[in-house]
Amino acid sequence: MTGETILTGAVLVLREALLRGTVVVRDGRIADVQPGDCIIGGALDLGGDYLLPGIVDLHSDNLERQAQPRTTARWPSRSALMAHDAQCATAGITTVLDALLSLIHI
């Protein structure tokens, strides 16, 4: 991702507080965070939506549910993985550790 994107009118979820403000993203990285709304043309107004860092899910059973939605049903693994990734991204989860059941035969 190259260029600059300005996100304004958002409630920023920061470590120390919630702040109505503006975030400048330059070349895929956060370049600046400022309080208040921005009036620069081309800024994307988030209309008071919350803007927060990606969420880390340390234990998910979602992938198993996608691969085997019912006890007698098996779903193609590629489709299950794509559905799982889409659901996680839509929910704001950027990192996930799937708790998969595996059987080891000795």
Side-chain angles (χ1 to χ4, degrees):
M1 178 178 176
T2 60
E4 182 174 89
T5 302
I6 300 173
L7 305 170
T8 192
V11 176
L12 308 177
V13 179
L14 305 175
R15 182 184 319 243
E16 59 280 349
L18 296 178
L19 170 72
R20 173 96 181 197
T22 299
V23 174
V24 177
V25 179
R26 193 172 296 124
D27 296 326
R29 296 185 180 269
I30 296 173
D32 196 15
V33 176
Q34 293 291 325
D37 293 350
C38 173
I39 56 171
I40 295 175
L44 180 60
D45 185 358
L46 298 184
D49 287 345
Y50 286 83
L51 184 60
L52 60 148
I55 298 169
V56 176
D57 184 349
L58 294 177
H59 180 103
S60 171
D61 295 315
N62 187 44
L63 183 56
E64 285 180 341
R65 191 176 66 237
Q66 295 299 327
Q68 190 170 5
R70 293 178 305 281
T71 55
T72 59
R74 299 286 300 166
W75 198 251
S77 59
R78 184 178 200 87
S79 296
L81 286 168
M82 291 176 68
H84 168 64
D85 286 353
Q87 286 180 353
C88 288
T90 301
I93 299 170
T94 57
T95 305
V96 63
L97 176 62
D98 288 296
L100 297 173
L101 175 63
S102 68
L103 300 175
I104 301 173
H105 298 285
I106 298 176

